[in-house]
Amino acid sequence: MIDVTDIIPLDIPTESISDVACQGAHFDDISGIWYTEPRELNEALRGYAYDVDTFNVAAPYYLVITSKMHCWSCHQPTRIHGLMITRFMKQNQDGKGWLSVRRNTFLFHINSLPDEIKKNIKASNYYLDKSKTTGLRYWMNHCEICGERLGDYELFCLEDEAFHQMTVEKILRANVRKVNKLFVSTAGNPADHAPKDVVRYLCDARFVMNAPASP
Ligand SMILES: [Zn+2]
């Protein structure tokens, strides 16, 4: 738990670590994140910070997992993309302080991403859109064939062939790309018409084994 409301995570390449440690950057050894505070931000550290106003999740690196599923609408196979983090910080519910976590976790219902991250995800069918059913605005998968919106609640929270309870067989067939750069985003913002709703944005990535075929 980091008992500071405003932190500024820093994207530090390995070769610069000794420099920034001398410039007042702090290291959180659970999440693996280098950060500073607004009152400590100096010219030397500013170059390592992203240009973002608000965020509630930060991770020192992230994995872009590209898997396949059959579209609910046209039933054709389409690629789908999910972001996984294994060490991260998340802002506490009351907006004060941060919790450091080490756990294989999918991040979804992502409302905003800095340009640095958008350009590293590189997926033409994953973009900001609004859900017809819930009114949530977030980075969403779309069918590559018919364009149908493939909502995160179904992909990450319901048991099906997507990311929720993804099998070991499925993750081995997926394309897993590690991006060794700082990740920050805002996720889990409620819809405009229901500002008090709590929207889930993290779930464990478990990779279950398929049951053995019966004899
Ligand atoms: Zn489709």
Side-chain angles (χ1 to χ4, degrees), residues 36-70:
T36 187
E37 292 176 42
R39 62 186 166 81
E40 298 173 313
L41 187 64
N42 55 36
E43 275 315 303
L45 296 181
R46 195 180 301 276
Y48 299 111
Y50 287 168
D51 188 16
V52 286
D53 293 333
T54 58
F55 61 94
N56 61 353
V57 188
Y61 57 83
Y62 54 103
L63 298 115
V64 182
I65 298 184
T66 300
S67 185
K68 279 201 167 168
M69 66 175 281
H70 285 89

Side-chain angles (χ1 to χ4, degrees), residues 7-175:
I7 61 162
I8 302 172
L10 303 169
D11 187 39
I12 312 235
T14 314
E15 63 271 17
S16 310
I17 285 175
S18 50
D19 294 350
V20 297
C22 304
Q23 296 290 343
H26 311 286
F27 183 69
D28 173 55
D29 58 358
I30 297 175
S31 66
I33 292 177
W34 283 94
Y35 68 98
T36 187
E37 292 176 42
R39 62 186 166 81
E40 298 173 313
L41 187 64
N42 55 36
E43 275 315 303
L45 296 181
R46 195 180 301 276
Y48 299 111
Y50 287 168
D51 188 16
V52 286
D53 293 333
T54 58
F55 61 94
N56 61 353
V57 188
Y61 57 83
Y62 54 103
L63 298 115
V64 182
I65 298 184
T66 300
S67 185
K68 279 201 167 168
M69 66 175 281
H70 285 89
C71 169
W72 306 314
S73 179
C74 71
H75 307 290
Q76 297 297 307
T78 177
R79 280 180 299 180
I80 47 171
H81 315 279
L83 293 184
M84 190 175 128
I85 47 183
T86 66
R87 309 176 72 177
F88 58 95
M89 275 184 200
K90 65 171 185 170
Q91 193 167 39
N92 289 333
Q93 290 285 3
D94 61 6
K96 292 181 187 134
W98 295 77
L99 188 69
S100 304
V101 183
R102 239 190 236 215
R103 189 184 300 146
N104 293 346
T105 305
F106 283 118
L107 176 66
F108 53 98
H109 285 145
I110 297 173
N111 309 109
S112 66
L113 288 170
D115 289 340
E116 290 88 342
I117 296 169
K118 287 180 203 168
K119 71 172 192 250
N120 281 319
I121 294 181
K122 293 186 226 138
S124 58
N125 63 327
Y126 182 69
Y127 50 88
L128 193 62
D129 203 348
K130 185 173 174 179
S131 160
K132 280 181 294 198
T133 44
T134 60
L136 298 173
R137 275 183 71 82
Y138 63 91
W139 280 71
M140 195 183 296
N141 280 285
H142 298 75
C143 171
E144 292 176 294
I145 311 295
C146 73
E148 175 76 355
R149 298 176 177 106
L150 303 170
D152 276 2
Y153 180 71
E154 285 78 6
L155 298 192
F156 292 93
C157 302
L158 296 181
E159 194 162 350
D160 59 16
E161 58 171 336
F163 298 109
H164 179 70
Q165 301 210 348
M166 198 172 190
T167 60
V168 172
E169 291 83 353
K170 192 119 188 152
I171 186 79
L172 290 175
R173 280 199 303 272
N175 180 334

Side-chain angles (χ1 to χ4, degrees), residues 192-212:
D192 293 340
H193 67 268
K196 290 203 163 30
D197 279 6
V198 174
V199 178
R200 260 186 97 181
Y201 61 94
L202 297 167
C203 70
D204 287 356
R206 286 217 181 91
F207 307 124
V208 292
M209 295 291 279
N210 266 347

